[in-house]
Amino acid sequence: MTSRVPFFAAALPVLLGCMSVLGCSSGEIPLSTPVDVAGTWTADFLVNTSDATTGKEVNPFGEITLAAGTLKTSSNEYVGDATLVSTVFAPQGSVDNPKMDSQGTPLAENVGAATYGGTWSSAAYEGNTSFDLSVSCEKIMLTAQRPDLMAVCGGDGFDASVGATCQRPDGATTFSCHFGAGDIVFHRK
């Protein structure tokens, strides 16, 4: 008399072995860790603020705070929260009658800050050193000394949203982002 073992009972050890030892390959490749950008980063840029020297002086651009990314399997990307606080510059004097340097170039001054919030994302694959920044304007705080300035999110000079592509090469202590005004290099604060 031959004993018949039901199929599922015979297959059970194979299934358990596959799940515990082999992981039953589903075609997924183990993902690399995301590009290391978590933390607060600060940057400077050149803007004409003084007639003491011809050309542009180094002034604060602002800072970016990036949260640690979490894997979104639907897009195969690491995604984290991002906050950009950008310094706002405006012409010295007034917008209609700006103060000029000796070369006839308008001088600028720091008149407040704009806060943008959103996310950063980076495709999960080995060796990727780039990430994308996508933030939207949340608030603009200007100094009370400039009643001639009207600043609203989405208004003239204040984009409703900002997108940038950024690079952080392996081992680098900085990352750079390409904005409409050019590349800005950020240093960990």
Side-chain angles (χ1 to χ4, degrees), residues 61-73:
F61 168 84
E63 64 183 41
I64 292 179
T65 300
L66 303 171
T70 56
L71 180 64
K72 303 295 182 193
T73 54

Side-chain angles (χ1 to χ4, degrees), residues 69-121:
T70 56
L71 180 64
K72 303 295 182 193
T73 54
S74 59
S75 61
N76 199 34
E77 288 184 317
Y78 285 97
V79 179
D81 291 335
T83 302
L84 167 64
V85 180
S86 175
T87 304
V88 175
F89 287 88
Q92 291 180 21
S94 72
V95 174
D96 295 330
N97 187 22
K99 183 178 177 184
M100 306 284 193
D101 67 11
S102 59
Q103 306 292 318
T105 304
L107 294 171
E109 66 178 334
N110 181 338
V111 296
T115 302
Y116 292 78
T119 59
W120 69 269
S121 59

Side-chain angles (χ1 to χ4, degrees), residues 115-171:
T115 302
Y116 292 78
T119 59
W120 69 269
S121 59
S122 180
Y125 64 85
E126 178 108 21
N128 184 20
T129 59
S130 69
F131 63 98
D132 293 318
L133 183 67
S134 179
V135 291
S136 298
C137 184
E138 295 178 344
K139 66 179 178 181
I140 302 169
M141 301 289 291
L142 300 184
T143 64
Q145 291 83 11
R146 291 297 301 270
D148 63 312
L149 299 174
M150 297 296 291
V152 294
C153 291
D156 189 29
F158 296 95
D159 294 333
S161 60
V162 174
T165 300
C166 307
Q167 292 286 331
R168 179 150 194 260
D170 279 341

